[in-house]
């Protein structure tokens, strides 16, 4: 297994629709193992293939809920159904999220409180998860990556201006930039 470089906003693969996985082979298994290792080293609770430069529709997740239940897996060619998103302003504390492709930044974003994820695992078995709370947020965030959407794209106008200035100030937003979990300190 290997830690992979995480692409930073501006890399074209992050802003493009990913392609369906068709080959369930050793190369896919290695990619998934490397993505888990990369996510854990970063650290993160989810990681989509486009974030490591691979334009395929898959993501990994690893999160422990309040009941100490471990949610860990890979979602290949996922489908996602969302409950209606509540109206109103997001709570800065409870609805703040970040992204490994915009490292070190966090913004409040209103998301659907409940989702249904249907996907395939590495053994080509279909599974379904009814998720709420943070697990629902993780699934929405990672699924967005597969459609070329970063969470910053969903922010309100004021927050979008702030993140755009931050991206420009750090020299991001152009192709060819990445960071290595465990080596680079981009959180500061």
């Amino acid at each position: 297994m290997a830690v992979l470089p995480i692409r930073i906003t501006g890399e074209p693969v992050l802003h493009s629709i990913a392609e369906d996985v068709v080959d369930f082979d050793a190369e896919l298994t290695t990619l998934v193992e490397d993505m888990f290792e990369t996510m854990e080293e970063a650290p993160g609770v989810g990681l989509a293939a486009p974030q490591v430069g691979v334009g395929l529709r898959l993501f990994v997740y690893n999160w422990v809920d309040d009941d100490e239940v471990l949610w860990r897996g890979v979602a290949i060619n996922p489908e996602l159904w969302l409950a209606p998103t509540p109206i109103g302003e997001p709570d800065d504390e409870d609805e703040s999220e970040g992204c490994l492709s915009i490292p070190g930044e966090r913004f409040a974003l209103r998301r659907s409180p409940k989702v249904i994820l249907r996907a395939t695992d590495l053994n080509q078995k279909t599974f379904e998860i009814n998720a709420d709370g943070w697990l629902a947020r993780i699934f929405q965030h990672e699924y967005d990556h597969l459609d070329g959407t970063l969470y910053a794209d969903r922010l309100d106008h004021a927050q979008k201006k702030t993140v755009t200035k931050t991206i420009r100030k750090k020299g991001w937003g152009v192709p060819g930039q990445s960071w290595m979990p465990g080596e680079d300190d981009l959180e500061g």
Side-chain angles (χ1 to χ4, degrees), residues 28-168:
L28 180 65
T29 299
T30 299
L31 172 63
V32 169
E33 290 171 354
D34 291 348
M35 286 175 63
F36 271 115
E37 187 170 342
T38 303
M39 175 184 61
E40 291 161 5
E41 185 70 30
V45 294
L47 185 68
Q51 291 182 275
V52 294
V54 179
L56 291 176
R57 295 190 75 78
L58 73 105
F59 64 81
V60 296
Y61 55 93
N62 186 26
W63 180 71
V64 178
D65 67 19
D66 292 338
D67 296 324
E68 301 298 316
V69 175
L70 173 64
W71 295 92
R72 180 182 168 89
V74 57
I76 301 170
N77 298 332
E79 299 173 0
L80 194 67
W81 289 271
L82 287 69
T85 302
I87 296 174
E89 295 295 316
D91 181 273
D92 286 339
E93 189 171 315
D94 292 335
E95 295 178 286
S96 180
E97 66 184 71
C99 179
L100 297 175
S101 292
I102 308 174
E105 304 302 317
R106 295 189 69 79
F107 292 91
L109 176 63
R110 180 65 42 110
R111 295 248 191 210
S112 175
K114 295 182 180 186
V115 302
I116 299 172
L117 171 71
R118 183 177 298 148
T120 303
D121 66 17
L122 278 173
N123 296 317
Q124 299 186 55
K125 292 190 177 166
T126 302
F127 65 91
E128 187 173 289
I129 298 174
N130 291 295
D132 59 13
W134 272 99
L135 186 59
R137 179 176 293 275
I138 292 165
F139 289 164
Q140 290 170 80
H141 182 107
E142 300 310 327
Y143 187 87
D144 273 353
H145 278 297
L146 306 182
D147 286 338
T149 302
L150 275 65
Y151 87 111
D153 299 329
R154 294 192 177 277
L155 297 173
D156 67 30
H157 179 71
Q159 288 182 317
K160 194 175 275 192
K161 275 181 72 173
T162 301
V163 76
T164 299
K165 285 181 183 178
T166 301
I167 288 168
R168 192 176 310 121

